[in-house]
């Protein structure tokens, strides 16, 4: 079926067969039945498929089986069934030897197939990667292969040997490089097939020998084929030499040739060993040895020409193995010294296979004897030769005796074999002890000092190579070997170490070399494209392994076996680990650092210059050291910053410091003074580990001013011992702990240590015993104790500002300390930096300086007074820098918006945010500086520069406070300036600052922001607190702060008006804000409420005290009155008294209409407050009376003036007694009010204007009964008075006003008919009766009785009126003929039963449903219900229960007549008052 099937069906058949056989490869039905179908499947005449190779070749089904099925079958099953069929297909498909690429590809696939081995018991001994790499040339497929027909074998040899030879010979004569390279590709590809074919031929020799009775003769054909193979090897190697000789390119251009040479050499080695082990033909062996001689010569030449090539070393090592088996006495060459000199450096390579192949080559040479020290020979002993001594294995950690170096090491040294054993041992945890034991043996050899120089160099290099192994236990053992060698044989060892140190300092090669592009190299036809591509890809993979130094290992078969913890040979330790391991040699061999300091120290300097200071480009230490001049021409190339990392640099620096800390007597080092200066600079590193190492290096110098105090200094770098160390180490001038001659040299070192601790961060744990805040406070407290006289604090200030010293200043210092004059010069120069120069200082460093400055000002305070001008200039420069940045960003934003719309941004948001933070911190630090030093430093000279540096921020200030919870930093700065008398002149430099501050007063401004503004205005009003609120404003009318407010007072009042209008929800001037549902609990008082009122009042006084009275000022004062009058409360709080006095002073200044508009509000303040007496303070009532007098004295009506006079008399306080009325002045007024209408001083008399009096147009607005408002409210207030005379007189006066109203209503028939327009009727309905309605709910019983009787009086007089607000329907409850039956008299009676009787009568009257009981909703809800509710709330004893029960019953009957809204509200009130 298969040959006749379509291509798609053939694909499906092949896929199914591969899957089925892989699932059960040993099943008999597959083995027996499918075997006969293989020839038809793989027949070249089949249609083939193109899914796998992309060509139309008939061998595609065979190639599919070879790739997808062959490796997955058991080796014996595959060898007996599939491999013969595939070989037959490969041979039968050849029509023309020159066109046999498809057969070569199939043969190559079969020949290189490998099967996983079952070595589970020896996992520790077998290296997986070594096995995979060694399987590049494999003959596994021929191991169990049956006898193959001679014709097939002949054809297969032909396509490998003849075809390659012909192509190579023909192309060698061509001049095109591509044709020659194509021949090289084919030769290398075919060479991997030949060991497989040789193995098959040798198997046929074995089969022929078994068939031959004598067993001594071999097949003539097989012999000829093998001889031909070895001749082919020799010929190809010779041709390759000829091609190499004819080329004029460099060695790098000849990589194609030596890769092919290496493949040929290894192919020959495999074939030669196979023939040597399986044939005894002298002819074959003779031909083999001739070819071996040529291969040996080629291998030797290849090793010398390409010692750094992986393929060259692999080919040479393969020949070494062949020589060891075939001709043990022959070596690859007799140039042992030259080979060691050429190849030894390979042992330090990172690639395991390079080291392994090199060791195999070097180990093939004769072993050299130990070096004999003739001075140690004892001539008395027997001089006869004895067997060579071999040291016993030494376990890890074993100690050698003191005479270990003097043991008699003699004879041959086998250390190369020992190194080879170390390299070949699989790297696993299970082999850790084995590896370290082997390295300990190498260390014993190293200690002897008797290794031959070549061996010492090789051992050192190999140990350096082992540092690349990604297995940590190997590294310290290898380092110990190198250290031992350096002690015993420093001469040959040091060059190797120096090379390793130099390589560790070089930039890593991140980009792995890629194979060259094949475009244009091979010109192949489309028919042969697939096969040629496969052959070319094989060469590319070989070349990639070479070019990548072993990292790209796709050429080798990947093993499916689990690694079982084995470390891959294709990976290596990272660069930082390698760096650490190499430099740990110097740490453990400090004698090398001392003797080779001219090499080591410049390396350290180059690291600092080309790496550390490239990454930390803003580190001021680099400017102090001037390493560029020190290194001169030895300076290395700088690393790109993107290739550097903070952690890696910190680790490298730590390694260097460990190296130098191990040196005793560092004065012997090259440039030891510069080193000391660098170590001192590292003391300020925030990393405590680095600072500790730096201190160890400094202490090695044994400085006379530091060594005596080492026990005090070292604890400062402990994580949790800083505060205790600072406590014990007293550096104050009074202390005798430190010698006075040591102070100036010691303090810079201590300062650097503490400065680094100051900058270090905490560990993030909340329970840390060393929190950053406490640590910084302790450090600054320590610095505050330093003496100011000798400039001991200067070095700390220098450390703070040195990042801002201009670049043109020379900061280079010579030695660990700096002269005082130079120090002061550097500090002073920091204040001269320009805003453009600040652009080179990183934003993070600027933020750090500003954060540090806060703690310094708080802790050190006046100790830094000498440096305030410099720091002030620096802060202003920072402000100017941010100002410029904001202007540039704004301009760029406008341009980008025009070009790209809203999607583009001018500055990165993170950078812009950082600039904003710097600006905010600058404002805060300026505020802090001005506040702290305003009394000792003249800051006025900075005024112009100060405001110029924050112009944009001042303009934007009103927008920044919108809905801001906290005041902006600029507003805090303005507050500080306004609060200090010495600083207020700064505001004179900028009107914009004051205007911006006033504009911040908005309805949406939060309380904290308003508080800040109010405090600033308060500072201006009080001239920075130089006088208190009680002082007369006029005394300080010409103070600068008040002038600034007067200049913009209209804007200020306008902003207050916006904030305090009724529409503004944010403004709340109440002192106490009640909680919901009427609870007694109050919220926390708003701290700015009273302050706003206070400021308004004082601004008003300032405005009133102004000499010039202009229309604009009058209008402003009217607005002030409109703001202040609504804020007046029934309270005697000092703030409210202040407001009252202010209003009283403003009333005479404003217009008549504006003054009269406040008449009702001021009058109401004299009356009760809800159900309470209202304002009780005599002082407050006197002030209100004075304000009303101010309205009455304006000449707008004689009656108003008389009423105002009566109000003053009615509220007069006694001058003889405290808190007493002036009865002599009050009673005549009350009696006059209670008299008849015809009497002088009566209500009617006061309400009418006298003839001939002058009256303005505004008079009409308060004509008639409205003029009596303050008197009426005062009388209501006096009902609560405890003096019975006053309360009764007030009650009589109020009854008189009711009668007067009735008389005036009835006096005009026209007004009676149209009563809705009657002023007196309106007065009693809308003004008098609401006071009664509220008064009957009073808790004061005498006052309530008066209100109830007044209700009775009104009801009796207005019983015929239709208005429900006059409660005429309650007249039925009045019984003048029988007072005992009068409801109003009974309900207010002192006897309990009389009150109960009143409720009983009311309840029965309501139940009767008669005409008399038809009370209005207003009467029920406003009068009767409140009277019935009082007993419920006021019950005090059990005797009152009957009375309360009757009241409750009455409430029930009243509730039936209430509208729903009133009923629901009453019910909710009762439920809320129930105790839970």
């Amino acid at each position: 079926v298969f040959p006749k099937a379509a291509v798609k069906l053939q694909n499906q058949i092949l896929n199914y067969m591969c899957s089925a056989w892989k699932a059960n490869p040993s099943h008999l039905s597959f083995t027996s039945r499918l075997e006969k179908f293989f020839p038809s499947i793989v027949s070249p005449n089949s249609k083939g498929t193109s899914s796998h190779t992309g060509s139309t070749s008939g061998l595609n089904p065979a190639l599919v089986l070879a790739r997808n099925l062959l490796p997955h079958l058991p080796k014996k099953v595959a060898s007996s069934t599939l491999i013969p069929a595939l070989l037959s297909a490969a041979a039968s498909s050849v029509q023309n030897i020159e066109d046999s690429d498809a057969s070569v590809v199939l043969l190559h696939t079969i020949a290189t197939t490998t099967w996983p081995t079952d070595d589970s018991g020896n996992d520790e001994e077998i290296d997986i990667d070594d096995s995979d790499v060694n399987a590049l040339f494999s003959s596994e497929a021929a191991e169990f292969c049956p006898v193959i027909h001679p014709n097939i074998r002949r054809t297969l040899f032909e396509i490998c040997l003849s075809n390659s030879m012909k192509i190579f010979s023909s192309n060698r004569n061509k001049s095109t490089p591509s044709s020659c390279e194509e021949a090289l590709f084919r030769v290398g590809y075919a060479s991997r097939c030949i060991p497989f074919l040789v193995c098959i031929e040798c198997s046929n020799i074995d089969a022929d020998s078994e068939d031959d009775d004598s067993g001594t003769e071999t097949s003539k054909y097989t012999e000829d084929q093998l001889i031909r193979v070895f001749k082919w090897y020799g010929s190809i190697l010779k041709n390759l030499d000829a091609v190499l000789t004819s080329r004029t390119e460099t060695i790098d251009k000849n990589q194609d040739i030596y890769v092919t040479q290496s493949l040929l050499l290894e192919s020959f080695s495999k074939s030669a060993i196979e023939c040597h082990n399986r044939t005894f033909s002298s002819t074959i062996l003779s031909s083999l040895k001739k070819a071996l001689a040529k291969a040996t010569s080629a291998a030797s030449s290849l090793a010398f020409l390409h010692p750094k090539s992986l393929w060259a070393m692999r080919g040479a090592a393969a020949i070494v193995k062949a020589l060891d088996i075939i001709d043990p006495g022959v070596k690859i060459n007799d140039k042992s010294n030259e080979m060691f000199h050429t190849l030894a450096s390979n042992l330090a390579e990172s690639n395991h296979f390079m080291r392994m192949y090199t060791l195999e080559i070097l180990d093939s040479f004769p072993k050299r004897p130990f070096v004999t020290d003739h001075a140690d020979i004892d001539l008395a002993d027997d001089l006869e030769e004895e067997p060579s001594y071999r040291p016993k294995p030494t376990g890890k950690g074993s100690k050698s005796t003191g005479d270990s170096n003097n043991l008699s090491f003699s004879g041959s040294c086998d250390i190369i074999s020992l190194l080879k054993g170390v390299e070949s041992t699989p790297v696993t945890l299970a082999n850790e002890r084995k590896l370290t034991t082997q390295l300990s043996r190498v260390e014993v050899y190293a200690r002897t000092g008797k290794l031959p120089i070549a061996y010492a160099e090789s051992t050192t290099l190999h140990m350096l190579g082992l540092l690349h192994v990604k297995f940590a236990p190997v590294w310290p053992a290898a380092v110990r070997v190198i250290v031992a060698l350096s002690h015993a044989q420093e001469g040959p060892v040091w060059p190797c170490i120096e090379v390793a140190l130099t390589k560790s300092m070089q930039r890593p090669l991140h980009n792995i070399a890629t194979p060259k592009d094949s475009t244009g190299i091979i010109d192949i036809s489309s028919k042969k494209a697939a096969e040629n591509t496969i052959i070319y890809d094989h060469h590319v993979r070989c070349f990639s392994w070479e070019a990548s130094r072993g990292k790209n290992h796709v050429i080798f078969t990947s093993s499916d076996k689990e690694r079982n913890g084995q470390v891959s040979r294709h990976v290596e330790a990272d660069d930082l680990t390698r760096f650490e391991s190499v430099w740990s040699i110097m740490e453990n061999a400090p004698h090398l650092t001392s003797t080779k300091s001219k090499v080591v120290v410049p390396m350290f300097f180059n690291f600092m210059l080309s790496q550390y200071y490239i990454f930390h480009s803003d580190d001021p230490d680099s400017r102090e050291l001037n390493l560029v001049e020190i290194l001169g021409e030895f300076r290395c190339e700088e690393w790109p910053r993107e290739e550097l990392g903070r952690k890696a640099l910190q680790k490298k620096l730590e390694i260097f410091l460990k190296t130098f800390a191990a040196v005793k007597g560092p004065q012997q080092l090259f440039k030891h003074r510069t080193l000391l200066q660098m170590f001192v600079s590292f003391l300020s590193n925030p990393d405590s580990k680095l600072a500790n190492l730096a201190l160890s290096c400094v202490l090695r110098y044994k400085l006379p001013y530091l060594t005596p105090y080492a026990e005090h200094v070292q604890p400062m770098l402990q994580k949790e011992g800083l505060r205790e160390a600072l406590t014990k180490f007293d550096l104050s001038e009074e202390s005798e702990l430190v010698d006075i001659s040591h102070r100036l040299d010691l303090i810079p070192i201590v300062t650097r240590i503490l400065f680094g601790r100051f900058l270090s961060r905490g560990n993030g744990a909340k329970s840390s015993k060393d929190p950053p805040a406490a640590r910084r406070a302790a450090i600054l407290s320590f610095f505050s104790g330093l003496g100011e006289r000798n400039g001991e604090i200067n070095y700390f200030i220098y450390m703070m500002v040195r990042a801002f010293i201009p670049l043109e200043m020379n900061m280079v210092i010579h030695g660990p300390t700096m002269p005082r004059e130079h120090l002061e010069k550097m500090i002073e120069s920091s204040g001269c930096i320009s805003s453009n120069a600040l652009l080179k200082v990183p934003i993070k460093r600027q933020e750090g300086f500003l954060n540090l400055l806060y703690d310094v000002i708080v802790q050190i305070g006046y100790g830094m007074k000498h440096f305030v001008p410099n720091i002030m200039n620096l802060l202003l420069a920072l402000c100017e820098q941010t100002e410029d940045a904001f202007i540039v960003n704004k301009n760029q934003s406008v341009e980008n918006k025009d070009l790209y719309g809203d999607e583009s941004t001018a500055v990165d948001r993170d950078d812009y945010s950082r600039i904003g933070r710097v600006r905010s911190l600058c404002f805060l630090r300026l505020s802090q500086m001005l506040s702290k030093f305003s009394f000792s430093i003249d800051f006025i000279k900075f005024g112009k520069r100060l405001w110029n540096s924050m112009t944009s921020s001042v303009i934007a200030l009103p927008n920044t406070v919108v809905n801001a919870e906290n005041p902006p930093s600029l507003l805090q700065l303005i507050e500080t300036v306004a609060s200090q008398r010495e600083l207020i002149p700064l505001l004179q430099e900028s009107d914009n600052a004051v205007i911006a501050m006033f504009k911040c007063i908005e309805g949406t401004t939060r309380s904290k922001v308003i508080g800040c503004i109010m405090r600033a205005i308060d500072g201006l009003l009080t001239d920075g607190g130089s006088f208190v609120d009680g002082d007369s404003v006029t005394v300080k009318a010409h103070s600068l702060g008040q002038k600034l407010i007067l200049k913009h007072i209209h804007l200020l009042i306008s902003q207050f008006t916006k904030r305090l209008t009724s529409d503004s929800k944010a403004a709340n001037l109440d002192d106490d804000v009640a909680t919901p549902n009427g609870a007694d609990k109050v919220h926390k008082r708003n701290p700015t409420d009273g302050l706003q009122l206070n400021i308004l009042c004082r601004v008003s006084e300032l405005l009133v005290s102004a000499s010039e009275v202009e229309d604009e000022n009058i209008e402003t004062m009217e607005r002030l009155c409109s703001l202040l009058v609504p804020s007046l409360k029934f309270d005697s709080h000092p703030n409210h008294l202040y407001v009252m006095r202010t209003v009283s002073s403003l009333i005479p200044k404003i217009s008549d209409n504006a003054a009269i508009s406040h008449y009702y509000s001021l009058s109401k303040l004299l009356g009760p407050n809800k159900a309470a007496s209202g304002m009780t303070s005599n002082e407050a009532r006197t002030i209100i009376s004075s304000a009303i007098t101010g309205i009455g004295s304006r000449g707008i009506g004689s009656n108003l003036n008389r009423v105002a006079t009566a109000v003053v008399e009615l509220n007069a306080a006694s001058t003889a007694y405290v808190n007493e009325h002036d009865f002599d002045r009050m009673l005549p007024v009350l009696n006059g009010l209670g008299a008849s209408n015809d009497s002088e001083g009566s209500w009617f008399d006061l309400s009418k204007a006298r003839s001939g009096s002058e009256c303005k147009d505004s008079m009409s607005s308060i004509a008639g009964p409205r003029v009596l408002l303050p008197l009426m409210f005062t009388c209501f207030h006096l009902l609560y008075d405890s003096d019975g005379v006053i309360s009764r007189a007030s009650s009589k006066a109020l009854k008189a006003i009711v009668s007067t109203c009735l008389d005036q209503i009835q006096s005009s028939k026209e007004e009676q008919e149209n009563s809705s327009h009657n002023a007196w009727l309106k007065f009693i309905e809308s003004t008098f009766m609401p006071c009664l309605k509220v008064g009957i709910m009073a808790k004061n019983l005498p006052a309530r009785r008066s209100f109830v009787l007044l209700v009775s009086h009104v009801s009796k007089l207005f019983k015929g009126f239709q208005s429900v607000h006059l409660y005429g329907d309650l007249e039925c409850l009045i019984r003048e003929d029988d007072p005992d039956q009068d409801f109003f008299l009974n309900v207010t009676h002192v006897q309990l039963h009389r009150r109960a009787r009143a409720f009983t009568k009311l309840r029965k009257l309501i139940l009767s449903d008669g005409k008399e009981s038809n009370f209005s909703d207003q009467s029920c809800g406003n009068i009767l219900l409140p009277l019935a509710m009082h007993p419920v709330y006021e019950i005090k004893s059990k005797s009152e229960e009957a009375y309360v029960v009757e009241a409750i019953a009455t409430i029930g009957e009243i509730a039936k007549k209430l509208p729903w809204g009133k009923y629901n509200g009453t019910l909710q009130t009762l439920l809320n008052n129930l105790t839970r």
Side-chain angles (χ1 to χ4, degrees), residues 331-342:
K331 306 301 177 185
I332 192 171
N333 57 43
D334 56 355
K335 300 177 181 179
S336 174
N337 291 333
E338 290 82 353
M339 287 296 281
F340 268 92
H341 181 268
T342 303

Side-chain angles (χ1 to χ4, degrees), residues 252 255 258 306-313 345-355 358 503 509 511-514 541-553 556 569-572:
D252 293 336
Q255 290 179 351
Y258 65 74
H306 307 287
K308 296 298 180 183
S309 168
L310 270 169
W311 283 109
M313 292 300 101
S345 60
N346 290 346
L347 299 177
E349 291 289 330
S350 60
N351 187 267
H352 156 74
F353 301 102
M354 175 67 84
R355 298 193 300 270
T358 302
K503 285 185 178 180
L509 299 176
N511 299 324
I512 298 175
T514 55
R541 290 195 298 270
C542 293
F543 184 78
S544 297
W545 189 58
E546 174 71 44
S548 66
R549 307 303 298 163
K551 293 182 176 62
N552 188 342
H553 49 89
F556 304 112
R569 295 294 194 176
H570 303 293
V571 298
E572 59 187 59

Side-chain angles (χ1 to χ4, degrees), residues 1103-1104 1113-1121 1146 1149-1150:
L1103 186 60
V1104 170
N1113 287 353
I1114 293 175
E1115 184 181 350
T1116 302
M1117 286 189 280
E1118 291 176 356
R1119 280 191 305 208
L1120 276 171
C1121 274
L1146 286 171
K1149 302 285 186 178
I1150 62 179

Side-chain angles (χ1 to χ4, degrees), residues 347 370-371 405 413 415-416 418-419 439-466 476-497 585-586 588-589 591-592 595-596:
L347 299 177
F370 286 100
V371 177
N405 290 343
C413 178
I415 194 169
I416 300 299
L418 191 54
L419 297 178
L439 290 173
S440 297
R441 293 182 61 192
V442 176
E443 184 182 354
V444 172
Y445 279 87
R447 287 201 197 103
T448 61
K450 297 183 178 182
L451 293 179
I453 292 178
Y455 286 3
E457 291 177 350
S458 300
T459 304
T460 304
L461 292 168
H462 186 243
M463 293 301 107
L464 291 170
L466 290 180
V479 168
R480 286 195 298 269
V481 173
I482 299 174
V483 172
L485 279 168
S486 69
H487 282 287
Q489 296 174 279
E490 180 179 329
V493 170
W494 167 246
C496 305
I497 299 175
I585 299 170
M586 305 304 295
N588 290 281
H591 67 284
L592 289 178
T595 57
K596 309 297 180 183

Side-chain angles (χ1 to χ4, degrees), residues 370-640:
F370 286 100
V371 177
T372 303
D373 188 352
H374 296 281
D376 296 336
I377 298 177
D378 186 0
L379 299 178
D381 292 340
D382 189 0
L383 297 179
E384 293 182 359
E385 294 184 357
E386 296 179 358
S388 299
Y389 173 78
R390 293 289 182 271
K392 295 181 179 180
T394 305
K396 182 179 179 181
S398 61
K399 298 181 180 179
S400 59
T401 62
D403 297 333
S404 61
N405 290 343
N406 296 323
L407 293 175
S408 178
F409 284 85
S410 61
S412 300
C413 178
D414 61 347
I415 194 169
I416 300 299
S417 300
L418 191 54
L419 297 178
K420 180 181 172 183
V422 172
E423 189 66 49
S424 61
T425 302
V427 182
T428 62
L429 285 175
N431 286 339
E432 177 184 351
R433 185 168 184 176
K434 180 178 180 181
L435 284 168
T436 53
T437 300
Q438 290 174 328
L439 290 173
S440 297
R441 293 182 61 192
V442 176
E443 184 182 354
V444 172
Y445 279 87
R447 287 201 197 103
T448 61
K450 297 183 178 182
L451 293 179
I453 292 178
Y455 286 3
E457 291 177 350
S458 300
T459 304
T460 304
L461 292 168
H462 186 243
M463 293 301 107
L464 291 170
L466 290 180
L467 298 181
H468 290 283
V469 178
K470 201 169 185 178
F471 192 61
V474 171
W475 306 331
V479 168
R480 286 195 298 269
V481 173
I482 299 174
V483 172
L485 279 168
S486 69
H487 282 287
Q489 296 174 279
E490 180 179 329
V493 170
W494 167 246
C496 305
I497 299 175
E498 182 180 359
V499 171
L501 295 175
T502 304
K503 285 185 178 180
S504 70
M505 299 295 296
Q506 295 173 353
R507 286 174 56 190
L509 299 176
H510 295 290
N511 299 324
I512 298 175
T514 55
K516 56 186 178 181
D517 189 8
S518 60
T519 305
I521 293 180
I522 305 176
D523 185 15
I524 53 179
S525 63
S526 58
K527 180 180 179 182
K528 298 173 23 176
E531 289 77 15
N532 275 331
T533 301
I534 293 174
I535 295 172
Y536 176 67
D537 286 346
H538 170 266
H539 181 80
V540 168
R541 290 195 298 270
C542 293
F543 184 78
S544 297
W545 189 58
E546 174 71 44
S548 66
R549 307 303 298 163
K551 293 182 176 62
N552 188 342
H553 49 89
V554 294
I555 185 62
F556 304 112
T557 305
S558 298
S559 176
D560 295 332
K561 184 188 294 185
E562 295 183 3
R563 302 200 68 87
N564 295 325
Q566 277 195 22
V567 178
S568 173
R569 295 294 194 176
H570 303 293
V571 298
E572 59 187 59
D574 59 271
D575 296 325
L576 182 60
T577 302
R578 164 75 174 167
F579 183 92
E580 182 179 6
S581 300
V582 170
W583 280 94
S584 65
I585 299 170
M586 305 304 295
E587 178 186 353
N588 290 281
H591 67 284
L592 289 178
T593 307
S594 300
T595 57
K596 309 297 180 183
S597 63
K598 287 191 176 183
V599 176
V600 177
V601 172
M603 286 184 180
F604 174 53
F605 289 168
N606 269 309
F607 161 74
M608 296 300 298
L609 189 60
S610 63
Q611 297 183 48
Y612 190 84
Y613 289 136
I614 293 298
F615 187 83
H616 300 280
S617 57
D618 59 327
D619 194 336
D621 290 333
S622 61
R623 296 177 60 190
E624 295 177 356
L625 297 171
N626 195 19
L627 291 177
V628 176
E629 183 179 342
I630 294 173
L631 284 172
E633 60 181 5
F634 299 103
R635 181 181 178 184
C636 294
E637 179 186 1
E638 293 181 356
W639 287 36

Side-chain angles (χ1 to χ4, degrees), residues 1431-1448:
V1432 178
Y1433 293 116
E1434 296 173 357
I1435 181 172
K1436 296 179 180 178
S1437 63
K1438 192 174 182 180
S1439 60
E1440 299 178 359
E1441 287 183 356
Y1443 165 58
V1444 174
V1445 169
E1446 187 61 41
I1448 292 172

